[in-house]
Amino acid sequence: SMVRKFFDANGKPRYAAIVSAPLLDRQGAVIGMIESTRDISHRISLEEELKATEVQLQQFMEMAPAATYIKNRQGMYLEINPAACRLFGLEESAVLGKSDLEILPRETADTFRVTDKEVLDKGKEVIVYEEVVLNGEHVHLSTVKYPVLDLQDKVTAVCGIAKDVTALKHAEQDLRQTRDYLQ
């Protein structure tokens, strides 16, 4: 079997899957060939579109400035971008395939798991402000979590996009203290 590329009358590339086999007589001697040819141009086109989409998704994950991750229903990280790795202070290899309980302090893991469960159970977006401990420091996160659906609209995973707003929280506290002092 093989795939052949050819061009139609308009010069457009087309693809054919060709399967051939020998015809044998009762003694096993080849007496002919049988061949089947099927146009698979549409399938090849869909595969190329899928590859392009995968490249775009990978570029999005790599370049997104916010911590971005996907966890399955069991809480295991399936995808994580460099910004999330920096936030956690961990390498990608130390996160993928692991749960929050395996890589983060218990209290932080429990905080994340509560909203993950809400998204998985309700199948709806959740916006949450969380104060957690990462790398021994208190960090304030503004996070959007939303469900990832399969083709039957069943929730299969949770995606999170988190922004570290610690500096903003500190600035707000400083502003409040300044206002209180001036009054």
Side-chain angles (χ1 to χ4, degrees):
S1 67
M2 68 178 93
V3 173
R4 289 278 187 210
K5 181 179 182 179
F6 64 97
F7 296 90
D8 66 13
N10 298 323
K12 183 178 175 185
R14 306 289 295 176
Y15 297 87
I18 304 168
V19 178
S20 47
L23 288 175
L24 307 174
D25 65 15
R26 291 184 188 267
Q27 289 74 36
V30 176
I31 58 172
M33 292 289 291
I34 187 165
E35 183 176 281
S36 169
T37 303
R38 186 170 49 115
D39 186 343
I40 60 168
S41 300
H42 184 67
R43 186 188 93 198
I44 297 293
S45 174
L46 291 175
E47 288 173 358
E48 288 173 352
E49 287 178 34
L50 178 61
K51 284 178 191 173
T53 301
E54 288 173 346
V55 167
Q56 288 174 336
L57 177 60
Q58 193 60 40
Q59 288 173 345
F60 167 78
M61 289 294 287
E62 292 293 322
M63 303 300 286
T68 306
Y69 55 85
I70 299 173
K71 292 187 257 182
N72 65 15
R73 291 193 70 82
Q74 293 73 39
M76 305 297 208
Y77 284 88
L78 303 175
E79 297 282 340
I80 189 163
N81 74 343
C85 289
R86 285 190 299 276
L87 182 67
F88 291 172
L90 296 168
E91 296 292 322
E92 179 181 13
S93 60
V95 177
L96 292 180
K98 298 202 172 66
S99 71
D100 291 322
L101 287 170
E102 295 174 284
I103 61 171
L104 299 171
R106 176 74 184 208
E107 188 175 307
T108 298
D110 289 344
T111 299
F112 288 167
R113 291 173 57 212
V114 167
T115 51
D116 289 351
K117 184 174 178 355
E118 184 179 346
V119 171
L120 292 169
D121 289 347
K122 294 181 179 177
K124 295 191 181 202
E125 174 185 286
V126 172
I127 300 172
V128 63
Y129 296 94
E130 302 163 313
E131 182 178 353
V132 296
V133 175
L134 295 171
N135 304 313
E137 308 229 353
H138 286 271
V139 178
H140 296 267
L141 299 175
S142 174
T143 306
V144 176
K145 294 183 180 184
Y146 56 91
V148 177
L149 308 175
D150 65 11
L151 295 175
Q152 288 76 38
D153 289 334
K154 180 181 172 200
V155 178
T156 60
V158 61
C159 181
I161 302 174
K163 181 91 171 135
D164 182 348
V165 293
T166 305
L168 179 61
K169 287 288 186 184
H170 288 295
E172 288 173 353
Q173 289 171 347
D174 291 346
L175 182 59
R176 270 195 300 279
Q177 288 175 348
T178 301
R179 279 190 199 145
D180 291 346
Y181 176 76
L182 293 174
Q183 289 180 355

